[in-house]
Amino acid sequence: MAEYAEMFNQHTEAQIVDSSAIEKAYGLTPNPLPATVDATLARYGKLVSAH
């Protein structure tokens, strides 16, 4: 719980994600969120149905 107080601002302030440095250095680009969520759900769906 001690760490929660330190990290509470993550729940109350906007989080800004900037990928420009890694894009510039390595040519990497972020995946679009909808595609990432769809791929993750599909993967977990396959894992769950396999059991």
Side-chain angles (χ1 to χ4, degrees):
M1 286 304 290
E3 292 81 10
Y4 184 76
E6 180 181 343
M7 304 302 285
F8 186 72
N9 68 315
Q10 291 184 353
H11 303 287
T12 59
E13 297 179 16
Q15 301 295 305
I16 299 170
V17 179
D18 180 7
S19 63
S20 60
I22 199 160
E23 288 180 44
K24 189 178 200 179
Y26 299 103
L28 300 174
T29 57
N31 290 325
L33 184 59
T36 303
V37 171
D38 290 345
T40 300
L41 292 175
R43 176 70 176 143
Y44 280 116
K46 288 179 184 177
L47 290 173
V48 170
S49 66
H51 293 311

mmCIF file of all heavy atoms in Angstrom:
data_model
loop_
_atom_site.group_PDB
_atom_site.id
_atom_site.type_symbol
_atom_site.label_atom_id
_atom_site.label_comp_id
_atom_site.label_asym_id
_atom_site.label_seq_id
_atom_site.Cartn_x
_atom_site.Cartn_y
_atom_site.Cartn_z
ATOM 1 N N MET A 1 0.811 -1.194 0.000
ATOM 2 C CA MET A 1 0.000 0.000 0.000
ATOM 3 C C MET A 1 0.857 1.262 0.000
ATOM 4 O O MET A 1 0.403 2.299 -0.458
ATOM 5 C CB MET A 1 -0.930 0.000 1.207
ATOM 6 C CG MET A 1 -2.097 -0.977 1.091
ATOM 7 S SD MET A 1 -3.133 -0.746 -0.360
ATOM 8 C CE MET A 1 -3.945 0.776 -0.009
ATOM 9 N N ALA A 2 2.066 1.156 0.500
ATOM 10 C CA ALA A 2 2.916 2.342 0.545
ATOM 11 C C ALA A 2 3.174 2.872 -0.867
ATOM 12 O O ALA A 2 3.189 4.079 -1.093
ATOM 13 C CB ALA A 2 4.226 2.026 1.235
ATOM 14 N N GLU A 3 3.352 1.974 -1.818
ATOM 15 C CA GLU A 3 3.617 2.384 -3.192
ATOM 16 C C GLU A 3 2.377 2.972 -3.856
ATOM 17 O O GLU A 3 2.476 3.774 -4.770
ATOM 18 C CB GLU A 3 4.123 1.197 -4.018
ATOM 19 C CG GLU A 3 5.491 0.725 -3.609
ATOM 20 C CD GLU A 3 5.467 -0.191 -2.388
ATOM 21 O OE1 GLU A 3 4.384 -0.623 -1.955
ATOM 22 O OE2 GLU A 3 6.551 -0.467 -1.864
ATOM 23 N N TYR A 4 1.204 2.576 -3.395
ATOM 24 C CA TYR A 4 -0.024 3.066 -4.008
ATOM 25 C C TYR A 4 -0.116 4.590 -3.907
ATOM 26 O O TYR A 4 -0.464 5.251 -4.877
ATOM 27 C CB TYR A 4 -1.249 2.417 -3.364
ATOM 28 C CG TYR A 4 -2.534 2.830 -4.032
ATOM 29 C CD1 TYR A 4 -2.891 2.287 -5.245
ATOM 30 C CD2 TYR A 4 -3.368 3.773 -3.453
ATOM 31 C CE1 TYR A 4 -4.048 2.670 -5.892
ATOM 32 C CE2 TYR A 4 -4.542 4.164 -4.088
ATOM 33 C CZ TYR A 4 -4.870 3.605 -5.296
ATOM 34 O OH TYR A 4 -6.010 3.995 -5.929
ATOM 35 N N ALA A 5 0.195 5.117 -2.755
ATOM 36 C CA ALA A 5 0.136 6.570 -2.571
ATOM 37 C C ALA A 5 1.093 7.273 -3.528
ATOM 38 O O ALA A 5 0.766 8.303 -4.111
ATOM 39 C CB ALA A 5 0.456 6.934 -1.131
ATOM 40 N N GLU A 6 2.258 6.666 -3.722
ATOM 41 C CA GLU A 6 3.259 7.260 -4.616
ATOM 42 C C GLU A 6 2.793 7.254 -6.068
ATOM 43 O O GLU A 6 3.087 8.164 -6.830
ATOM 44 C CB GLU A 6 4.565 6.482 -4.494
ATOM 45 C CG GLU A 6 5.672 6.996 -5.364
ATOM 46 C CD GLU A 6 6.955 6.179 -5.238
ATOM 47 O OE1 GLU A 6 7.098 5.428 -4.254
ATOM 48 O OE2 GLU A 6 7.786 6.283 -6.135
ATOM 49 N N MET A 7 2.048 6.232 -6.449
ATOM 50 C CA MET A 7 1.635 6.064 -7.833
ATOM 51 C C MET A 7 0.197 6.536 -8.094
ATOM 52 O O MET A 7 -0.307 6.406 -9.203
ATOM 53 C CB MET A 7 1.752 4.586 -8.226
ATOM 54 C CG MET A 7 3.136 3.999 -8.009
ATOM 55 S SD MET A 7 4.420 4.867 -8.908
ATOM 56 C CE MET A 7 4.108 4.289 -10.545
ATOM 57 N N PHE A 8 -0.470 7.095 -7.085
ATOM 58 C CA PHE A 8 -1.869 7.475 -7.221
ATOM 59 C C PHE A 8 -2.099 8.469 -8.350
ATOM 60 O O PHE A 8 -3.161 8.473 -8.975
ATOM 61 C CB PHE A 8 -2.401 8.042 -5.901
ATOM 62 C CG PHE A 8 -3.869 8.318 -5.926
ATOM 63 C CD1 PHE A 8 -4.782 7.269 -5.915
ATOM 64 C CD2 PHE A 8 -4.354 9.612 -5.988
ATOM 65 C CE1 PHE A 8 -6.146 7.514 -5.948
ATOM 66 C CE2 PHE A 8 -5.714 9.866 -6.026
ATOM 67 C CZ PHE A 8 -6.610 8.821 -5.999
ATOM 68 N N ASN A 9 -1.116 9.294 -8.646
ATOM 69 C CA ASN A 9 -1.274 10.292 -9.709
ATOM 70 C C ASN A 9 -1.570 9.648 -11.060
ATOM 71 O O ASN A 9 -2.121 10.289 -11.945
ATOM 72 C CB ASN A 9 -0.045 11.191 -9.808
ATOM 73 C CG ASN A 9 1.169 10.433 -10.296
ATOM 74 O OD1 ASN A 9 1.438 9.324 -9.830
ATOM 75 N ND2 ASN A 9 1.906 11.012 -11.205
ATOM 76 N N GLN A 10 -1.237 8.384 -11.237
ATOM 77 C CA GLN A 10 -1.547 7.701 -12.497
ATOM 78 C C GLN A 10 -3.046 7.571 -12.701
ATOM 79 O O GLN A 10 -3.511 7.394 -13.820
ATOM 80 C CB GLN A 10 -0.906 6.322 -12.533
ATOM 81 C CG GLN A 10 0.590 6.377 -12.639
ATOM 82 C CD GLN A 10 1.202 5.003 -12.781
ATOM 83 O OE1 GLN A 10 0.530 3.981 -12.675
ATOM 84 N NE2 GLN A 10 2.497 4.963 -13.024
ATOM 85 N N HIS A 11 -3.807 7.630 -11.616
ATOM 86 C CA HIS A 11 -5.261 7.509 -11.702
ATOM 87 C C HIS A 11 -5.950 8.871 -11.764
ATOM 88 O O HIS A 11 -7.147 8.935 -12.015
ATOM 89 C CB HIS A 11 -5.792 6.721 -10.509
ATOM 90 C CG HIS A 11 -5.188 5.372 -10.376
ATOM 91 N ND1 HIS A 11 -5.502 4.329 -11.220
ATOM 92 C CD2 HIS A 11 -4.260 4.883 -9.518
ATOM 93 C CE1 HIS A 11 -4.807 3.265 -10.877
ATOM 94 N NE2 HIS A 11 -4.050 3.570 -9.853
ATOM 95 N N THR A 12 -5.217 9.926 -11.504
ATOM 96 C CA THR A 12 -5.852 11.238 -11.422
ATOM 97 C C THR A 12 -5.359 12.220 -12.484
ATOM 98 O O THR A 12 -5.962 13.270 -12.654
ATOM 99 C CB THR A 12 -5.612 11.868 -10.042
ATOM 100 O OG1 THR A 12 -4.211 11.990 -9.821
ATOM 101 C CG2 THR A 12 -6.217 11.011 -8.941
ATOM 102 N N GLU A 13 -4.291 11.891 -13.172
ATOM 103 C CA GLU A 13 -3.731 12.795 -14.172
ATOM 104 C C GLU A 13 -3.640 12.082 -15.519
ATOM 105 O O GLU A 13 -3.450 10.870 -15.579
ATOM 106 C CB GLU A 13 -2.335 13.258 -13.753
ATOM 107 C CG GLU A 13 -2.327 14.066 -12.473
ATOM 108 C CD GLU A 13 -0.933 14.490 -12.055
ATOM 109 O OE1 GLU A 13 -0.012 14.434 -12.887
ATOM 110 O OE2 GLU A 13 -0.783 14.859 -10.886
ATOM 111 N N ALA A 14 -3.756 12.834 -16.573
ATOM 112 C CA ALA A 14 -3.646 12.260 -17.922
ATOM 113 C C ALA A 14 -2.248 11.671 -18.129
ATOM 114 O O ALA A 14 -1.256 12.236 -17.671
ATOM 115 C CB ALA A 14 -3.909 13.330 -18.963
ATOM 116 N N GLN A 15 -2.194 10.549 -18.800
ATOM 117 C CA GLN A 15 -0.926 9.897 -19.103
ATOM 118 C C GLN A 15 -0.590 10.178 -20.572
ATOM 119 O O GLN A 15 -1.386 9.882 -21.457
ATOM 120 C CB GLN A 15 -1.016 8.388 -18.867
ATOM 121 C CG GLN A 15 -1.393 8.016 -17.445
ATOM 122 C CD GLN A 15 -0.344 8.416 -16.443
ATOM 123 O OE1 GLN A 15 0.805 8.038 -16.572
ATOM 124 N NE2 GLN A 15 -0.743 9.194 -15.456
ATOM 125 N N ILE A 16 0.575 10.735 -20.806
ATOM 126 C CA ILE A 16 0.994 11.075 -22.159
ATOM 127 C C ILE A 16 2.065 10.082 -22.596
ATOM 128 O O ILE A 16 3.077 9.906 -21.924
ATOM 129 C CB ILE A 16 1.546 12.515 -22.220
ATOM 130 C CG1 ILE A 16 0.439 13.486 -21.811
ATOM 131 C CG2 ILE A 16 2.087 12.820 -23.609
ATOM 132 C CD1 ILE A 16 0.916 14.890 -21.599
ATOM 133 N N VAL A 17 1.813 9.429 -23.710
ATOM 134 C CA VAL A 17 2.761 8.449 -24.240
ATOM 135 C C VAL A 17 3.355 9.038 -25.519
ATOM 136 O O VAL A 17 2.634 9.371 -26.452
ATOM 137 C CB VAL A 17 2.063 7.108 -24.536
ATOM 138 C CG1 VAL A 17 3.051 6.115 -25.115
ATOM 139 C CG2 VAL A 17 1.412 6.564 -23.285
ATOM 140 N N ASP A 18 4.663 9.142 -25.555
ATOM 141 C CA ASP A 18 5.353 9.728 -26.695
ATOM 142 C C ASP A 18 6.372 8.723 -27.227
ATOM 143 O O ASP A 18 7.337 8.390 -26.549
ATOM 144 C CB ASP A 18 6.054 11.018 -26.264
ATOM 145 C CG ASP A 18 6.803 11.684 -27.398
ATOM 146 O OD1 ASP A 18 6.694 11.234 -28.557
ATOM 147 O OD2 ASP A 18 7.519 12.658 -27.119
ATOM 148 N N SER A 19 6.140 8.237 -28.422
ATOM 149 C CA SER A 19 7.031 7.229 -29.003
ATOM 150 C C SER A 19 8.016 7.831 -29.997
ATOM 151 O O SER A 19 8.718 7.101 -30.690
ATOM 152 C CB SER A 19 6.197 6.155 -29.698
ATOM 153 O OG SER A 19 5.465 6.724 -30.761
ATOM 154 N N SER A 20 8.103 9.135 -30.050
ATOM 155 C CA SER A 20 8.919 9.771 -31.087
ATOM 156 C C SER A 20 10.405 9.401 -30.991
ATOM 157 O O SER A 20 11.065 9.254 -32.024
ATOM 158 C CB SER A 20 8.750 11.287 -31.059
ATOM 159 O OG SER A 20 9.151 11.818 -29.809
ATOM 160 N N ALA A 21 10.938 9.221 -29.797
ATOM 161 C CA ALA A 21 12.367 8.890 -29.663
ATOM 162 C C ALA A 21 12.683 7.515 -30.248
ATOM 163 O O ALA A 21 13.658 7.360 -30.989
ATOM 164 C CB ALA A 21 12.789 8.954 -28.201
ATOM 165 N N ILE A 22 11.865 6.513 -29.949
ATOM 166 C CA ILE A 22 12.143 5.169 -30.468
ATOM 167 C C ILE A 22 11.816 5.084 -31.956
ATOM 168 O O ILE A 22 12.467 4.353 -32.704
ATOM 169 C CB ILE A 22 11.417 4.073 -29.658
ATOM 170 C CG1 ILE A 22 12.073 2.728 -29.915
ATOM 171 C CG2 ILE A 22 9.938 4.040 -29.946
ATOM 172 C CD1 ILE A 22 11.793 1.696 -28.869
ATOM 173 N N GLU A 23 10.820 5.866 -32.389
ATOM 174 C CA GLU A 23 10.531 5.924 -33.822
ATOM 175 C C GLU A 23 11.724 6.491 -34.578
ATOM 176 O O GLU A 23 12.126 5.966 -35.615
ATOM 177 C CB GLU A 23 9.298 6.777 -34.088
ATOM 178 C CG GLU A 23 8.002 6.126 -33.668
ATOM 179 C CD GLU A 23 6.803 6.995 -33.954
ATOM 180 O OE1 GLU A 23 6.734 7.570 -35.060
ATOM 181 O OE2 GLU A 23 5.918 7.093 -33.091
ATOM 182 N N LYS A 24 12.293 7.561 -34.043
ATOM 183 C CA LYS A 24 13.431 8.215 -34.686
ATOM 184 C C LYS A 24 14.675 7.332 -34.661
ATOM 185 O O LYS A 24 15.391 7.202 -35.654
ATOM 186 C CB LYS A 24 13.714 9.535 -33.976
ATOM 187 C CG LYS A 24 14.711 10.414 -34.649
ATOM 188 C CD LYS A 24 14.853 11.706 -33.860
ATOM 189 C CE LYS A 24 15.441 12.808 -34.688
ATOM 190 N NZ LYS A 24 15.560 14.056 -33.941
ATOM 191 N N ALA A 25 14.927 6.687 -33.531
ATOM 192 C CA ALA A 25 16.150 5.892 -33.375
ATOM 193 C C ALA A 25 16.102 4.563 -34.119
ATOM 194 O O ALA A 25 17.106 4.136 -34.689
ATOM 195 C CB ALA A 25 16.419 5.647 -31.889
ATOM 196 N N TYR A 26 14.941 3.901 -34.115
ATOM 197 C CA TYR A 26 14.870 2.542 -34.647
ATOM 198 C C TYR A 26 13.824 2.335 -35.738
ATOM 199 O O TYR A 26 13.675 1.226 -36.248
ATOM 200 C CB TYR A 26 14.596 1.557 -33.509
ATOM 201 C CG TYR A 26 15.668 1.563 -32.460
ATOM 202 C CD1 TYR A 26 15.463 2.208 -31.247
ATOM 203 C CD2 TYR A 26 16.900 0.953 -32.677
ATOM 204 C CE1 TYR A 26 16.449 2.232 -30.272
ATOM 205 C CE2 TYR A 26 17.893 0.974 -31.716
ATOM 206 C CZ TYR A 26 17.651 1.612 -30.522
ATOM 207 O OH TYR A 26 18.627 1.633 -29.557
ATOM 208 N N GLY A 27 13.066 3.374 -36.035
ATOM 209 C CA GLY A 27 12.038 3.233 -37.056
ATOM 210 C C GLY A 27 10.835 2.424 -36.604
ATOM 211 O O GLY A 27 10.056 1.965 -37.434
ATOM 212 N N LEU A 28 10.681 2.236 -35.311
ATOM 213 C CA LEU A 28 9.546 1.485 -34.784
ATOM 214 C C LEU A 28 8.347 2.414 -34.637
ATOM 215 O O LEU A 28 8.493 3.581 -34.312
ATOM 216 C CB LEU A 28 9.883 0.888 -33.418
ATOM 217 C CG LEU A 28 11.053 -0.085 -33.383
ATOM 218 C CD1 LEU A 28 11.367 -0.489 -31.956
ATOM 219 C CD2 LEU A 28 10.763 -1.306 -34.228
ATOM 220 N N THR A 29 7.174 1.880 -34.867
ATOM 221 C CA THR A 29 5.958 2.658 -34.678
ATOM 222 C C THR A 29 5.008 1.876 -33.778
ATOM 223 O O THR A 29 5.003 0.640 -33.792
ATOM 224 C CB THR A 29 5.263 2.957 -36.019
ATOM 225 O OG1 THR A 29 4.986 1.730 -36.677
ATOM 226 C CG2 THR A 29 6.128 3.825 -36.913
ATOM 227 N N PRO A 30 4.196 2.572 -33.014
ATOM 228 C CA PRO A 30 3.262 1.876 -32.124
ATOM 229 C C PRO A 30 2.140 1.212 -32.911
ATOM 230 O O PRO A 30 1.768 1.670 -33.995
ATOM 231 C CB PRO A 30 2.722 2.992 -31.229
ATOM 232 C CG PRO A 30 2.941 4.241 -31.988
ATOM 233 C CD PRO A 30 4.135 4.020 -32.855
ATOM 234 N N ASN A 31 1.624 0.131 -32.357
ATOM 235 C CA ASN A 31 0.470 -0.526 -32.955
ATOM 236 C C ASN A 31 -0.791 0.240 -32.576
ATOM 237 O O ASN A 31 -0.908 0.715 -31.446
ATOM 238 C CB ASN A 31 0.341 -1.963 -32.445
ATOM 239 C CG ASN A 31 1.431 -2.848 -32.965
ATOM 240 O OD1 ASN A 31 1.875 -2.689 -34.083
ATOM 241 N ND2 ASN A 31 1.871 -3.778 -32.147
ATOM 242 N N PRO A 32 -1.745 0.324 -33.487
ATOM 243 C CA PRO A 32 -3.012 0.980 -33.150
ATOM 244 C C PRO A 32 -3.724 0.195 -32.038
ATOM 245 O O PRO A 32 -3.743 -1.043 -32.063
ATOM 246 C CB PRO A 32 -3.818 0.927 -34.438
ATOM 247 C CG PRO A 32 -2.845 0.595 -35.513
ATOM 248 C CD PRO A 32 -1.709 -0.119 -34.865
ATOM 249 N N LEU A 33 -4.280 0.882 -31.073
ATOM 250 C CA LEU A 33 -4.919 0.227 -29.934
ATOM 251 C C LEU A 33 -6.019 -0.748 -30.344
ATOM 252 O O LEU A 33 -6.042 -1.880 -29.839
ATOM 253 C CB LEU A 33 -5.443 1.267 -28.949
ATOM 254 C CG LEU A 33 -6.049 0.705 -27.669
ATOM 255 C CD1 LEU A 33 -5.039 -0.144 -26.911
ATOM 256 C CD2 LEU A 33 -6.572 1.819 -26.798
ATOM 257 N N PRO A 34 -6.933 -0.403 -31.236
ATOM 258 C CA PRO A 34 -7.979 -1.369 -31.592
ATOM 259 C C PRO A 34 -7.420 -2.683 -32.142
ATOM 260 O O PRO A 34 -7.899 -3.766 -31.800
ATOM 261 C CB PRO A 34 -8.811 -0.636 -32.644
ATOM 262 C CG PRO A 34 -8.597 0.808 -32.339
ATOM 263 C CD PRO A 34 -7.167 0.895 -31.887
ATOM 264 N N ALA A 35 -6.409 -2.602 -32.989
ATOM 265 C CA ALA A 35 -5.806 -3.819 -33.548
ATOM 266 C C ALA A 35 -5.122 -4.632 -32.458
ATOM 267 O O ALA A 35 -5.178 -5.871 -32.461
ATOM 268 C CB ALA A 35 -4.805 -3.454 -34.643
ATOM 269 N N THR A 36 -4.493 -3.960 -31.523
ATOM 270 C CA THR A 36 -3.812 -4.640 -30.425
ATOM 271 C C THR A 36 -4.804 -5.355 -29.529
ATOM 272 O O THR A 36 -4.600 -6.513 -29.145
ATOM 273 C CB THR A 36 -2.982 -3.633 -29.608
ATOM 274 O OG1 THR A 36 -2.073 -2.977 -30.486
ATOM 275 C CG2 THR A 36 -2.209 -4.308 -28.511
ATOM 276 N N VAL A 37 -5.895 -4.687 -29.201
ATOM 277 C CA VAL A 37 -6.922 -5.304 -28.356
ATOM 278 C C VAL A 37 -7.534 -6.505 -29.069
ATOM 279 O O VAL A 37 -7.698 -7.573 -28.473
ATOM 280 C CB VAL A 37 -8.002 -4.276 -27.965
ATOM 281 C CG1 VAL A 37 -9.186 -4.953 -27.286
ATOM 282 C CG2 VAL A 37 -7.414 -3.211 -27.050
ATOM 283 N N ASP A 38 -7.852 -6.354 -30.345
ATOM 284 C CA ASP A 38 -8.429 -7.467 -31.109
ATOM 285 C C ASP A 38 -7.491 -8.667 -31.140
ATOM 286 O O ASP A 38 -7.918 -9.812 -30.938
ATOM 287 C CB ASP A 38 -8.757 -7.034 -32.539
ATOM 288 C CG ASP A 38 -9.917 -6.062 -32.608
ATOM 289 O OD1 ASP A 38 -10.662 -5.921 -31.615
ATOM 290 O OD2 ASP A 38 -10.066 -5.428 -33.676
ATOM 291 N N ALA A 39 -6.219 -8.434 -31.380
ATOM 292 C CA ALA A 39 -5.239 -9.531 -31.434
ATOM 293 C C ALA A 39 -5.086 -10.201 -30.073
ATOM 294 O O ALA A 39 -4.988 -11.430 -29.988
ATOM 295 C CB ALA A 39 -3.893 -9.005 -31.915
ATOM 296 N N THR A 40 -5.084 -9.407 -29.019
ATOM 297 C CA THR A 40 -4.953 -9.963 -27.664
ATOM 298 C C THR A 40 -6.162 -10.820 -27.317
ATOM 299 O O THR A 40 -6.017 -11.936 -26.806
ATOM 300 C CB THR A 40 -4.785 -8.829 -26.637
ATOM 301 O OG1 THR A 40 -3.619 -8.079 -26.962
ATOM 302 C CG2 THR A 40 -4.665 -9.378 -25.225
ATOM 303 N N LEU A 41 -7.358 -10.328 -27.586
ATOM 304 C CA LEU A 41 -8.566 -11.093 -27.286
ATOM 305 C C LEU A 41 -8.634 -12.376 -28.106
ATOM 306 O O LEU A 41 -9.039 -13.423 -27.592
ATOM 307 C CB LEU A 41 -9.798 -10.236 -27.527
ATOM 308 C CG LEU A 41 -9.978 -9.064 -26.567
ATOM 309 C CD1 LEU A 41 -11.175 -8.216 -26.985
ATOM 310 C CD2 LEU A 41 -10.117 -9.538 -25.129
ATOM 311 N N ALA A 42 -8.219 -12.312 -29.363
ATOM 312 C CA ALA A 42 -8.206 -13.513 -30.196
ATOM 313 C C ALA A 42 -7.239 -14.547 -29.640
ATOM 314 O O ALA A 42 -7.546 -15.741 -29.584
ATOM 315 C CB ALA A 42 -7.841 -13.157 -31.637
ATOM 316 N N ARG A 43 -6.087 -14.104 -29.208
ATOM 317 C CA ARG A 43 -5.081 -15.016 -28.648
ATOM 318 C C ARG A 43 -5.577 -15.673 -27.372
ATOM 319 O O ARG A 43 -5.463 -16.879 -27.191
ATOM 320 C CB ARG A 43 -3.780 -14.246 -28.387
ATOM 321 C CG ARG A 43 -2.707 -15.050 -27.722
ATOM 322 C CD ARG A 43 -2.140 -16.113 -28.643
ATOM 323 N NE ARG A 43 -1.059 -16.787 -27.974
ATOM 324 C CZ ARG A 43 -0.826 -18.078 -28.087
ATOM 325 N NH1 ARG A 43 -1.564 -18.821 -28.870
ATOM 326 N NH2 ARG A 43 0.170 -18.636 -27.437
ATOM 327 N N TYR A 44 -6.140 -14.878 -26.474
ATOM 328 C CA TYR A 44 -6.667 -15.445 -25.235
ATOM 329 C C TYR A 44 -7.858 -16.361 -25.506
ATOM 330 O O TYR A 44 -8.034 -17.362 -24.837
ATOM 331 C CB TYR A 44 -7.035 -14.355 -24.236
ATOM 332 C CG TYR A 44 -5.841 -13.818 -23.506
ATOM 333 C CD1 TYR A 44 -5.451 -12.485 -23.647
ATOM 334 C CD2 TYR A 44 -5.070 -14.631 -22.685
ATOM 335 C CE1 TYR A 44 -4.340 -11.988 -22.987
ATOM 336 C CE2 TYR A 44 -3.955 -14.144 -22.029
ATOM 337 C CZ TYR A 44 -3.594 -12.835 -22.184
ATOM 338 O OH TYR A 44 -2.490 -12.338 -21.541
ATOM 339 N N GLY A 45 -8.653 -16.022 -26.495
ATOM 340 C CA GLY A 45 -9.762 -16.891 -26.859
ATOM 341 C C GLY A 45 -9.279 -18.260 -27.303
ATOM 342 O O GLY A 45 -9.854 -19.281 -26.938
ATOM 343 N N LYS A 46 -8.215 -18.294 -28.072
ATOM 344 C CA LYS A 46 -7.636 -19.578 -28.508
ATOM 345 C C LYS A 46 -7.073 -20.353 -27.321
ATOM 346 O O LYS A 46 -7.217 -21.570 -27.226
ATOM 347 C CB LYS A 46 -6.533 -19.336 -29.542
ATOM 348 C CG LYS A 46 -7.053 -18.894 -30.874
ATOM 349 C CD LYS A 46 -5.919 -18.641 -31.855
ATOM 350 C CE LYS A 46 -6.443 -18.101 -33.168
ATOM 351 N NZ LYS A 46 -5.371 -17.782 -34.100
ATOM 352 N N LEU A 47 -6.420 -19.641 -26.398
ATOM 353 C CA LEU A 47 -5.868 -20.314 -25.223
ATOM 354 C C LEU A 47 -6.959 -20.899 -24.351
ATOM 355 O O LEU A 47 -6.835 -22.020 -23.856
ATOM 356 C CB LEU A 47 -5.018 -19.332 -24.399
ATOM 357 C CG LEU A 47 -3.701 -18.888 -25.022
ATOM 358 C CD1 LEU A 47 -3.068 -17.788 -24.170
ATOM 359 C CD2 LEU A 47 -2.750 -20.056 -25.153
ATOM 360 N N VAL A 48 -8.036 -20.164 -24.160
ATOM 361 C CA VAL A 48 -9.140 -20.636 -23.307
ATOM 362 C C VAL A 48 -9.861 -21.816 -23.957
ATOM 363 O O VAL A 48 -10.196 -22.788 -23.285
ATOM 364 C CB VAL A 48 -10.124 -19.476 -23.010
ATOM 365 C CG1 VAL A 48 -11.383 -19.975 -22.354
ATOM 366 C CG2 VAL A 48 -9.446 -18.429 -22.154
ATOM 367 N N SER A 49 -10.086 -21.737 -25.257
ATOM 368 C CA SER A 49 -10.807 -22.814 -25.933
ATOM 369 C C SER A 49 -9.972 -24.083 -26.036
ATOM 370 O O SER A 49 -10.522 -25.166 -26.239
ATOM 371 C CB SER A 49 -11.273 -22.357 -27.307
ATOM 372 O OG SER A 49 -10.171 -22.115 -28.154
ATOM 373 N N ALA A 50 -8.670 -23.983 -25.897
ATOM 374 C CA ALA A 50 -7.797 -25.154 -25.979
ATOM 375 C C ALA A 50 -7.862 -26.009 -24.709
ATOM 376 O O ALA A 50 -7.436 -27.153 -24.713
ATOM 377 C CB ALA A 50 -6.351 -24.722 -26.236
ATOM 378 N N HIS A 51 -8.401 -25.454 -23.628
ATOM 379 C CA HIS A 51 -8.452 -26.198 -22.355
ATOM 380 C C HIS A 51 -9.768 -26.829 -22.134
ATOM 381 O O HIS A 51 -10.785 -26.555 -22.221
ATOM 382 C CB HIS A 51 -8.105 -25.294 -21.184
ATOM 383 C CG HIS A 51 -6.672 -24.841 -21.212
ATOM 384 N ND1 HIS A 51 -5.620 -25.680 -21.391
ATOM 385 C CD2 HIS A 51 -6.117 -23.613 -21.103
ATOM 386 C CE1 HIS A 51 -4.498 -25.014 -21.385
ATOM 387 N NE2 HIS A 51 -4.771 -23.721 -21.223
#
